[in-house]
């Protein structure tokens, strides 16, 4: 007992307490405490939309456009598996394959402005999260999937709706998805090109997760490809392009007895079979969520808990 109370032991105990507290704070600060860096509402409102020209007196034009869009949506033909209006056509197919439930959305739009992204709570920052369905409803999305969960990492390019939020490349050979102002998808290596350069060349959205699945019509992953140390079969979310303004989005359930999940190669093969020239893997696992016409249509799960995981951002189609 005397030894425990002696000075060296007291210092050791104090050091252990301080070290434990520091580690705990770092973990909580990194993964739990929300940190708002930029509220995008005002900034996004001021930014130009795709193909628009600056104007100081466009309120009447905006009101007219909003009215026309509202009328378009009111006259849309909607079923539980489809949405069609004069600008947007979406059909949903459910496929049973690889002992998994796979949800495939075929999307055609008349203008690139209808393919968008949104951040949780309209805020860029660390640990700012909401469910995919909540973010979708806040932005009146017709269709949405989870994005790249940028807030879970300190690196990785973040360019959304023409606004640059983070220009720090992820280490290693990480690949980013670029969606340009024409709505075309491409995959780039972050280590080889700066975000400013991408923006100057017409990038409108840049998401950082990966890897690329299909490039120039060819599958670019193999049976050993995986995201970090993840299991080979997982819930997945990915987006691909068939032709101009024609996309395929795939979400698979996984980590359950009913649905095993897909490998990256199996996911890539699904896009290849649908004639996609480019396809890219977004955040998966418990994040994988497909929202359509006001409902979550897949079964999100982390393998331990059932239900939507809160995420940083979404990719969506809407007005």
């Amino acid at each position: 007992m005397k030894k425990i109370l002696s000075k060296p032991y007291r210092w050791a105990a104090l050091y252990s307490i301080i070290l434990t507290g520091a580690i705990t704070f770092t973990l909580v600060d990194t993964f739990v405490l929300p940190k708002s860096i930029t509220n995008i509402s005002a900034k996004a409102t001021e930014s130009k939309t795709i193909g628009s020209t600056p104007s100081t007196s466009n309120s009447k034009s905006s009101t007219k456009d909003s009215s026309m869009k509202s009328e378009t949506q009111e006259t849309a033909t909607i079923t539980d598996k489809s949405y069609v209006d004069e600008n947007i056509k979406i059909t949903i197919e459910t496929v049973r394959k690889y002992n998994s439930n796979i949800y495939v959305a075929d999307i055609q739009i008349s203008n690139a402005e209808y393919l968008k992204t949104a951040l949780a709570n309209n805020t860029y920052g660390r640990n700012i999260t909401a469910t995919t369905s909540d973010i979708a409803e806040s932005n009146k999305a017709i269709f949405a999937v989870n994005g790249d969960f940028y807030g879970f990492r300190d690196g990785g390019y973040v360019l959304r709706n023409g606004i640059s939020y983070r220009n720090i490349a992820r280490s290693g050979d990480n690949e980013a998805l670029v969606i340009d102002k024409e709505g075309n998808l491409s995959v780039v290596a972050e280590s080889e090109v700066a975000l400013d350069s991408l923006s100057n060349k017409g990038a409108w959205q840049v998401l950082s997760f990966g890897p690329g699945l299909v490039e120039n019509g060819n599958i670019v992953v193999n049976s050993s490809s995986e995201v970090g140390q993840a299991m080979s079969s997982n819930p997945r979310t990915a987006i691909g392009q068939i032709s101009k303004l024609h996309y395929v989005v795939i979400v698979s359930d996984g980590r359950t007895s009913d649905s095993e999940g897909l490998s990256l190669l199996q996911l890539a093969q699904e896009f290849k079979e649908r004639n996609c020239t480019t396809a890219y893997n977004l955040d998966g696992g418990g994040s994988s969520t497909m929202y359509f016409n006001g409902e979550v249509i897949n079964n999100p799960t982390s393998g331990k808990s059932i239900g939507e995981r809160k995420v940083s951002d979404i990719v969506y189609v809407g007005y």
Side-chain angles (χ1 to χ4, degrees):
M1 188 68 178
K2 290 182 179 180
K3 286 184 177 181
I4 294 175
L5 296 176
S6 64
K7 191 172 182 179
Y9 285 90
R10 288 202 307 269
W11 280 110
L14 180 61
Y15 176 77
S16 297
I17 292 171
I18 294 173
L19 181 61
T20 301
I23 293 173
T24 300
F25 174 79
T26 299
L27 291 173
V28 171
D29 182 59
T30 301
F31 299 111
V32 178
L33 295 178
K35 288 188 176 180
S36 172
I37 298 175
T38 305
N39 185 294
I40 69 171
S41 297
K43 190 173 182 180
T45 300
E46 293 170 1
S47 67
K48 293 187 291 182
T49 56
I50 297 176
S52 69
T53 55
S55 173
T56 57
S57 58
N58 60 358
S59 59
K60 291 184 179 179
S61 176
S62 297
T63 301
K64 182 178 179 181
D65 289 345
S66 298
S67 176
M68 290 175 63
K69 291 172 182 177
S70 177
E71 290 175 2
T72 296
Q73 288 181 275
E74 287 178 1
T75 59
T77 301
I78 302 173
T79 72
D80 59 345
K81 294 184 178 180
S82 66
Y83 175 101
V84 181
D85 68 27
E86 63 184 18
N87 297 308
I88 296 170
K89 179 181 179 181
I90 303 172
T91 57
I92 306 292
E93 175 189 12
T94 303
V95 177
R96 181 70 182 175
K97 198 172 181 180
Y98 308 114
N99 195 34
S100 302
N101 298 321
I102 306 170
Y103 307 84
V104 183
D106 185 285
I107 301 169
Q108 298 180 62
I109 55 179
S110 65
N111 192 295
E113 68 177 305
Y114 304 127
L115 178 61
K116 306 182 182 187
T117 61
L119 307 184
N121 301 327
N122 283 326
T123 301
Y124 170 77
R126 180 186 293 175
N127 300 320
I128 307 294
T129 60
T131 62
T132 294
S133 60
D134 281 346
I135 306 173
E137 288 170 6
S138 295
N139 289 274
K140 299 180 180 180
I142 299 167
F143 171 92
V145 292
N146 58 289
D148 68 357
F149 212 148
Y150 75 84
F152 194 68
R153 303 175 299 277
D154 291 326
Y157 293 158
V158 182
L159 178 76
R160 303 297 158 86
N161 301 317
I163 300 171
S164 174
Y165 294 101
R166 187 168 67 199
N167 60 6
I168 302 171
R170 290 177 68 185
S171 59
D173 57 356
N174 189 68
E175 294 177 324
L177 172 68
V178 177
I179 306 175
D180 67 20
K181 294 178 181 179
E182 301 299 318
N184 295 313
L185 275 56
S186 60
V187 178
V188 301
E190 291 187 6
S191 60
E192 297 178 2
V193 59
L195 183 61
D196 286 348
S197 177
L198 293 173
S199 181
N200 291 338
K201 292 178 181 178
W204 190 247
Q205 320 280 358
V206 178
L207 295 97
S208 178
F209 198 89
L213 303 169
V214 177
E215 296 179 38
N216 298 316
N218 299 311
I219 293 175
V220 291
V221 291
N222 56 46
S223 59
S224 63
S225 299
E226 194 40 78
V227 180
Q229 301 299 314
M231 298 181 294
S232 59
S233 296
N234 283 289
R236 303 285 185 182
T237 301
I239 183 172
Q241 181 176 13
I242 295 176
S243 58
K244 185 174 178 61
L245 302 178
H246 189 181
Y247 311 94
V248 170
V249 177
I250 295 176
V251 168
S252 71
D253 291 336
R255 300 179 184 172
T256 69
S257 57
D258 180 58
S259 186
E260 183 177 326
L262 304 181
S263 69
L264 288 177
L265 178 58
Q266 290 168 340
L267 184 61
Q269 289 170 336
E270 290 301 302
F271 283 100
K272 174 71 173 177
E273 289 176 9
R274 290 167 174 78
N275 299 315
C276 288
T277 57
T278 303
Y280 182 85
N281 182 57
L282 295 167
D283 184 25
S287 300
S288 289
T289 305
M290 182 179 285
Y291 169 99
F292 181 59
N293 283 337
E295 301 288 341
V296 173
I297 64 173
N298 72 310
N299 297 288
T301 178
S302 64
K304 297 179 179 179
S305 60
I306 304 295
E308 288 185 79
R309 171 191 286 169
K310 291 184 177 181
V311 295
S312 300
D313 58 303
I314 64 170
V315 178
Y316 76 99
V317 175
Y319 288 100

